[in-house]
Amino acid sequence: MRYPCSCWENCLLVGHWANMVRKCLNHQLPLQRTMRSYYLTMWSSICGRSAYLEDEMIIALIGPSGSGKTSFIRQLTGHSLHRTASRFNNPTSRITATAVDIRGVNITLLDTPGIGSLADGRLLSEYDIFRLVRNWLRKTRRSDHLAGILYLQNMDDRRPVRPDIDYFSGICEANNFYSSVVLVATGWDKLRLRGGGWAKLREYETSLWRGMISRGAKGFLYTNTKESAEEAVTLITHPRTRGW
């Protein structure tokens, strides 16, 4: 494309930058991803060729074994998992990536092994999951940051464990790490039948999750539907959405 003058081209680039900043402010998106998109547009204009980079948000699903991470993703996709990235060789300690589009946002969900699951003769800890996610980001993506974390915890678990995910603060985009964490309560169907669902939810909110919620994390009650799963994800992609 031929421009009337170099100033005209500069104005187009500045206009694109203004639109990106406006998008960032309206949706409270991290500025890092906005700047990346802007510089790629500049490179395309200067070099006269496309420099495409998918504007995606990568979200990790973390939680103890049996918390429902895989079924959560299946609710979103409506079918068996759509794998978009290679697994690690060990089938018991792998990450599966699934691409979804929610409200016009390209999202890659990382299904991680369960905390406390057995791999290589030992139980996986939160730190082990952190290392798997960090290595996955480094090996398969151009960015080494997550947009956020969905921490799933089954309210029907007889021995619930307090989440310990501070390790992930260094690989999340948000300035306030806990503002990008959503605590997802699963197992609602079983508890509702026994009549103790709401009491268990309040117990989690005032004990296991109290410290994280006070630091900016959001609590969310997952009701095992696609709509509920989408709502949980939008607490990260559209931060102004509220939890319970």
Side-chain angles (χ1 to χ4, degrees), residues 207-226:
S207 58
L208 286 178
W209 294 353
R210 181 177 180 179
M212 299 176 70
I213 291 176
S214 67
R215 297 167 71 178
K218 301 180 183 72
F220 182 81
L221 174 61
Y222 172 58
T223 57
N224 202 32
T225 65
K226 180 178 180 179

Side-chain angles (χ1 to χ4, degrees), residues 68-84 96-101 107 109 111 222 225-226 229-230:
K69 298 182 296 296
T70 302
S71 62
F72 180 95
I73 296 177
R74 284 176 178 162
Q75 282 288 358
L76 283 173
T77 59
H79 50 72
S80 59
L81 295 186
H82 173 206
R83 287 158 188 163
T84 60
T96 301
T98 302
V100 294
D101 184 300
I107 301 167
L109 299 173
D111 187 7
Y222 172 58
T225 65
K226 180 178 180 179
E230 288 182 350

Side-chain angles (χ1 to χ4, degrees), residues 51-91:
Y52 174 76
L53 178 63
E54 185 180 7
D55 186 19
E56 68 175 350
M57 301 182 76
I58 305 174
I59 298 174
L61 277 73
I62 301 169
S65 295
S67 57
K69 298 182 296 296
T70 302
S71 62
F72 180 95
I73 296 177
R74 284 176 178 162
Q75 282 288 358
L76 283 173
T77 59
H79 50 72
S80 59
L81 295 186
H82 173 206
R83 287 158 188 163
T84 60
S86 59
R87 318 173 197 172
F88 291 129
N89 293 330
N90 189 339

Side-chain angles (χ1 to χ4, degrees), residues 3-122:
Y3 300 100
C5 64
S6 59
C7 295
W8 178 257
E9 182 176 0
N10 291 336
C11 287
L12 288 179
L13 292 176
V14 171
H16 176 77
W17 169 245
N19 288 333
M20 288 292 99
V21 171
R22 191 177 301 111
K23 177 182 177 183
C24 180
L25 294 176
N26 288 342
H27 298 286
Q28 297 182 357
L29 299 176
L31 190 59
Q32 178 183 6
R33 205 166 62 248
T34 303
M35 293 179 65
R36 181 177 63 189
S37 176
Y38 167 67
Y39 287 126
L40 284 169
T41 302
M42 287 186 61
W43 175 260
S44 298
S45 178
I46 294 171
C47 298
R49 61 177 182 270
S50 175
Y52 174 76
L53 178 63
E54 185 180 7
D55 186 19
E56 68 175 350
M57 301 182 76
I58 305 174
I59 298 174
L61 277 73
I62 301 169
S65 295
S67 57
K69 298 182 296 296
T70 302
S71 62
F72 180 95
I73 296 177
R74 284 176 178 162
Q75 282 288 358
L76 283 173
T77 59
H79 50 72
S80 59
L81 295 186
H82 173 206
R83 287 158 188 163
T84 60
S86 59
R87 318 173 197 172
F88 291 129
N89 293 330
N90 189 339
T92 60
S93 58
R94 70 189 183 198
I95 287 178
T96 301
T98 302
V100 294
D101 184 300
I102 299 177
R103 300 185 184 180
V105 179
N106 297 319
I107 301 167
T108 295
L109 299 173
L110 304 185
D111 187 7
T112 65
I115 298 170
S117 60
L118 188 65
D120 298 326
R122 65 185 184 86

